[in-house]
Amino acid sequence: MSSVLQPAATDPYPPTAGKYRPVSSHLAIAPPVSVVIPAMNEAENLPYVFKTLPDWIHEVVLVDGNSTDDTVRVARELWPEVKVVEQRGKGKGDALITGFQACTGDIIVMVDADGSADGNEIVSYVSALVSGADFAKGSRFANGGGTDDMTFIRKLGNWALCTVVNRKFGARYTDLCYGYNAFWRHCLDKIDLDCTGFEVETLMNIRVVKAGLKVQEIPSYEYLRIHGTSNLRAVRDGLRVLRVILQERSNRRALRRRSPQSPMLDSVRGEVS
């Protein structure tokens, strides 16, 4: 993983120009970056999503959740090279897993399709990864972050669940249930995603810690959804998140109860924090 952000070449035709994608007048990046956007009936919001995506990214993977509007057509008009993947199952977790499987980049970025995320922040996520992090986790509550789209009840619930995860798994998160994240592709081999709903972000956050991966939080600002209504339901999805936390905690305790001579324990000893 030696690829890093490099100073942009002064020679307009350097011999290594094909290896790097210009990020700014001073920086260029070598690793190809894939952006995954799960979407269902988000045709009106996609123009706001795509206009902030940097032109140096390697590919955009749009996972269409059986939309009945013009989501796919609009995406292709906005980004002609977009890779459209049809979701066979249901739920955000299933959509993301489908999108991850279709990615060809070394770095994968998760972006919501409702216009709440600023694609200009992607450079901060990528910078953290090429500087040594395995997983760059967006946070609305880290210094410099913020949100326009959380009620008091949702903030309280997010704080409570985040506190539980920090205490039970030794994490240091300031935000738990946020969908703007980025990671090296190799992380997928270590976190083995197996859930279908909105709780997928929590599952990822827990398993990267259990796997011993290096996590860096990235301050991020969440804007209001521009059009339509969210499928998120605070109580229902909060309970699903809590269920994931309890299941992951139970799995960890089961590993600890195993004998030190157990091959299974030996295989994960270096991954569980």
Side-chain angles (χ1 to χ4, degrees):
M1 197 185 302
S2 60
S3 298
V4 296
L5 286 176
Q6 299 284 350
T10 55
D11 183 347
Y13 302 103
T16 58
K19 295 181 180 180
Y20 298 100
R21 295 172 179 81
V23 174
S24 70
S25 59
H26 303 290
L27 296 173
I29 185 173
V33 176
S34 298
V35 174
V36 176
I37 305 175
M40 184 175 69
N41 296 330
E42 298 285 8
E44 291 184 290
N45 291 321
L46 289 184
Y48 300 91
V49 177
F50 279 82
K51 75 177 181 180
T52 65
L53 294 180
D55 57 8
W56 47 262
I57 61 177
H58 166 62
E59 66 181 355
V60 175
V61 177
L62 181 103
V63 184
D64 177 45
N66 302 303
S67 297
T68 56
D69 67 357
D70 291 330
T71 291
V72 173
R73 180 185 63 79
V74 170
R76 286 176 171 152
E77 288 178 354
L78 294 169
W79 201 281
E81 300 83 13
V82 66
K83 181 185 293 185
V84 177
V85 181
E86 293 185 4
Q87 181 181 356
R88 298 185 181 278
K90 294 182 178 181
K92 185 176 183 180
D94 181 82
L96 286 172
I97 293 170
T98 300
F100 297 160
Q101 293 172 344
C103 290
T104 60
D106 294 334
I107 290 174
I108 298 175
V109 184
M110 305 156 46
V111 176
D112 287 340
D114 58 5
S116 63
D118 182 358
N120 292 306
E121 294 179 358
I122 289 177
V123 65
S124 298
Y125 288 83
V126 172
S127 295
L129 295 175
V130 298
S131 296
D134 296 303
F135 191 89
K137 181 189 177 307
S139 173
R140 296 161 290 187
F141 305 112
N143 187 25
T147 178
D148 293 332
D149 195 29
M150 287 190 77
T151 63
F152 173 77
I153 294 300
R154 285 180 57 199
K155 286 182 179 179
L156 182 61
N158 186 61
W159 172 83
L161 293 169
C162 188
T163 299
V164 172
V165 167
N166 286 344
R167 291 181 178 177
K168 298 301 182 181
F169 298 95
R172 297 180 179 178
Y173 295 140
T174 60
D175 196 355
L176 184 67
C177 307
Y178 190 41
Y180 200 173
N181 305 293
F183 52 90
W184 289 98
R185 185 182 182 86
H186 69 78
C187 293
L188 292 173
D189 297 329
K190 298 182 179 181
I191 60 179
D192 190 25
L193 298 177
D194 53 7
C195 68
T196 61
F198 280 102
E199 70 274 17
V200 64
E201 291 105 352
T202 296
L203 183 66
M204 294 179 74
N205 293 334
I206 292 174
R207 289 190 176 173
V208 295
V209 172
K210 291 172 67 175
L213 299 174
K214 184 177 180 181
V215 181
Q216 182 174 331
E217 284 197 330
I218 306 298
S220 178
Y221 201 94
E222 178 187 40
Y223 297 91
L224 288 170
R225 164 183 276 275
I226 299 172
H227 296 286
T229 57
S230 173
N231 292 319
L232 177 67
R233 297 294 179 267
V235 175
R236 179 199 66 187
D237 293 307
L239 290 175
R240 293 183 69 165
V241 168
L242 180 59
R243 189 178 302 117
V244 163
I245 295 172
L246 296 177
Q247 288 174 345
E248 291 300 300
R249 182 62 177 170
S250 297
N251 292 341
R252 189 178 185 186
R253 286 176 176 172
L255 287 174
R256 285 179 171 176
R257 285 197 297 268
R258 291 178 179 270
S259 165
Q261 285 76 35
S262 168
M264 182 175 181
L265 181 61
D266 292 339
S267 68
V268 298
R269 180 168 294 170
E271 301 176 359
V272 180
S273 60

